[in-house]
């Protein structure tokens, strides 16, 4: 059965794409969950309208994510950690710690959005990047201090 995807479906295709799937998969999974339409002339017009509407929404979200990323650039988060000899940290600074510190400052950043290239295990200033919506990235500064 040929269907037109309304949303991105992992391992199948992207929104607006026409794909061939088994009849049962379309009838029992894609169509009831409103992930796809059966490919007809009317459905093509409907999906075209939805795609235009969706692209406008995505553009607005990209703009707001870009503004949010610019605001994050000026943020400095201080994280107190226990320190052992030679000023080495007990453990490391986690994404959850950074997310909680950002929440206390009024920034709503989920821990899964924080990208730690390598673990923060030393005192001092570090730059941490954040993966926002639609491929927009931002960063903020982290100061790790002794408790």
């Amino acid at each position: 059965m040929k269907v037109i995807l309304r949303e991105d479906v992992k391992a199948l295709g992207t929104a607006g794409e026409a794909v061939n799937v088994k009849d049962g998969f379309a009838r029992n999974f894609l169509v009831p969950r409103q992930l796809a339409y059966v490919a007809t002339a009317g459905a093509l017009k409907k999906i075209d309208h939805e795609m235009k509407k969706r692209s406008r929404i995505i553009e607005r979200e990209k703009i707001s994510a870009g503004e949010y990323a610019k605001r994050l650039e000026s943020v400095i988060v201080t994280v107190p950690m226990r320190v052992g000899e030679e000023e080495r940290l007990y453990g490391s600074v986690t994404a959850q710690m950074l997310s909680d510190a950002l929440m206390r400052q009024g920034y709503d950043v989920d821990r899964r959005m924080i990208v730690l290239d390598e673990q923060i295990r030393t005192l001092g200033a570090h730059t941490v990047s954040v993966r926002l919506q639609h491929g927009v990235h931002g960063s903020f500064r982290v100061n790790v201090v002794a408790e």
Side-chain angles (χ1 to χ4, degrees):
M1 177 183 287
K2 191 165 191 160
V3 295
I4 303 166
L5 298 176
R6 291 180 69 190
E7 296 181 21
D8 295 347
V9 179
K10 195 172 187 175
L12 189 60
T14 60
E17 188 176 346
V19 294
N20 285 318
V21 296
K22 297 203 179 218
D23 292 351
F25 185 58
R27 275 194 316 266
N28 298 324
F29 183 76
L30 295 173
V31 174
R33 289 192 169 97
Q34 298 181 350
L35 297 174
Y37 295 119
V38 177
T40 62
L44 287 171
K45 289 181 184 177
K46 191 172 185 179
I47 198 71
D48 185 45
H49 174 70
E50 282 184 9
M51 293 304 294
K52 287 179 184 175
K53 190 165 94 172
R54 183 180 210 169
S55 67
R56 287 191 300 265
I57 291 170
I58 288 173
E59 281 303 314
R60 275 189 252 133
E61 288 175 350
K62 276 186 180 180
I63 291 169
S64 70
E67 292 169 358
Y68 197 73
K70 284 181 183 176
R71 286 194 329 207
L72 274 176
E73 293 289 331
S74 64
V75 173
I76 299 174
V77 174
T78 302
V79 179
M81 294 289 292
R82 289 184 50 214
V83 179
E85 47 190 66
E86 297 179 16
E87 295 191 353
R88 299 234 348 132
L89 301 181
Y90 285 116
S92 61
V93 178
T94 64
Q96 183 65 50
M97 290 175 178
L98 296 174
S99 174
D100 292 342
L102 285 170
M103 288 284 210
R104 285 191 293 274
Q105 291 189 13
Y107 294 92
D108 186 23
V109 176
D110 188 56
R111 67 176 174 79
R112 292 172 291 227
M113 297 166 68
I114 296 174
V115 180
L116 291 173
D117 295 329
E118 55 186 44
Q119 294 179 343
I120 299 175
R121 292 183 170 261
T122 59
L123 294 176
H126 304 274
T127 302
V128 176
S129 61
V130 179
R131 184 177 52 246
L132 300 171
Q133 296 174 333
H134 307 293
V136 178
H137 294 302
S139 63
F140 63 96
R141 303 277 301 162
V142 177
N143 284 331
V144 182
V145 296
E147 206 171 51

